[in-house]
Amino acid sequence: MTRAVGWLGVALLGAVLAGCAAGPVPPAPPQFSATPPPPDPVTVCVNQLTYWAAEDLRGAPDQGYDYQHRGLSSQQADALREIVDEARALGDSRPDAFVPDRVQAACASIAPR
């Protein structure tokens, strides 16, 4: 039994020395949150209304989408309809910033905070 304990001690000492010879352990990589922060509601609204206004103004084929299919709230749909109607009424005299400015203003007032 003494001989078995002796061999066990030699094996344990060898394992410890082998571990020390490997060098320092590198630091663990930084931990990141798995959940990104929620998007800004105004930015989401602006992106949605800008996209759909451009589609409506360019005369894209009507896919039969209602506001829910477009991912809009009823307030966003009302604002989009007003913006598109006003933009069409201005025609070629419409300033380039008209739609973006109107969309930004609409979204600032209707996006949840």
Side-chain angles (χ1 to χ4, degrees):
M1 183 128 167
T2 306
R3 200 172 261 221
V5 172
W7 283 109
L8 181 61
V10 170
L12 183 60
L13 179 61
V16 169
L17 291 176
C20 291
V25 175
Q31 297 296 319
F32 295 101
S33 173
T35 305
D40 173 47
V42 174
T43 302
V44 172
C45 176
V46 166
N47 290 341
Q48 289 173 306
L49 294 189
T50 299
Y51 174 81
W52 287 114
E55 288 294 292
D56 291 349
L57 290 171
R58 76 175 178 88
D62 184 5
Q63 301 294 321
Y65 294 148
D66 66 7
Y67 71 95
Q68 291 172 329
H69 286 107
R70 290 180 168 197
L72 304 176
S73 69
S74 62
Q75 290 176 313
Q76 289 172 315
D78 292 342
L80 175 63
R81 189 172 23 263
E82 288 178 24
I83 292 166
V84 169
D85 289 348
E86 291 172 4
R88 284 184 177 143
L90 291 172
D92 293 336
S93 65
R94 178 180 72 231
D96 290 341
F98 177 79
V99 171
D101 289 348
R102 294 280 287 134
V103 163
Q104 184 68 41
C107 288
S109 69
I110 62 176
R113 294 191 165 69

